[in-house]
Amino acid sequence: MRTVIAFLAVVIGGCAVVQPPAPVSAPVTDSAPAPAPSAARTESLAVAGLLDGARADAASGRLANAAASLERALRIEPRNPRLWQELARVRLKQGDYAQAESTAARSNSWAGGDNRLRAENWRLIALARDARGDAAGARAALEAAGRQ
């Protein structure tokens, strides 16, 4: 009976949607204008819960748990570029630089016109390349981030 209830909770929870808070606009500076905020993305309650848990686990140093939660979330929403980016951050913290780079690149493949997200992915790629000793690759990634 508990299994049936747990299953129904996951299925029903996966049908609900939450709207993320509106992005906060960056202060105006003398430099180039800030990119326009991307369209708000809706996520299922199940994915939002897994993402919150993953962030809490990562902040507490439980990186393996964080990665597992993000991988579960990605099975629900495999085209969610924010989930891929969060997983890239965890892989970077774990010292798995090749996976961090690959996962950030996967996030970029689903990011569409979200230039802010794409630029942050390029910065993650730069950090991963630098950690592997690829200074030229890191510079190229930072240049790509600047073009977003």
Side-chain angles (χ1 to χ4, degrees):
M1 184 68 176
R2 286 184 196 168
T3 305
V4 172
I5 292 172
F7 173 75
L8 288 174
V10 169
V11 169
I12 292 170
C15 296
V17 240
V18 280
Q19 189 72 23
V24 178
S25 61
V28 177
T29 63
D30 293 330
S31 61
S38 64
R41 178 168 172 76
T42 58
E43 296 174 335
S44 71
L45 286 176
V47 168
L50 288 166
L51 182 58
D52 287 345
R55 287 178 174 160
D57 282 339
S60 298
R62 294 185 302 269
L63 300 176
N65 291 350
S69 292
L70 290 166
E71 288 168 353
R72 280 194 295 278
L74 282 164
R75 284 194 289 277
I76 297 167
E77 290 188 15
R79 295 180 178 191
N80 185 327
R82 297 191 193 304
L83 294 175
W84 286 107
Q85 184 182 70
E86 286 291 327
L87 185 56
R89 288 181 198 283
V90 170
R91 295 299 185 212
L92 192 65
K93 287 182 181 180
Q94 287 177 315
D96 191 346
Y97 305 121
Q99 280 297 312
E101 181 176 347
S102 171
T103 308
R106 175 79 58 99
S107 175
N108 271 348
S109 73
W110 295 114
D114 190 340
N115 291 337
R116 202 173 282 173
L117 180 73
R118 294 174 65 81
E120 182 57 29
N121 284 329
W122 278 112
R123 285 188 283 276
L124 288 170
I125 291 169
L127 289 170
R129 288 177 178 176
D130 187 55
R132 286 196 339 253
D134 180 5
R139 278 191 302 278
L142 286 175
E143 289 171 7
R147 289 190 298 269
Q148 297 303 311

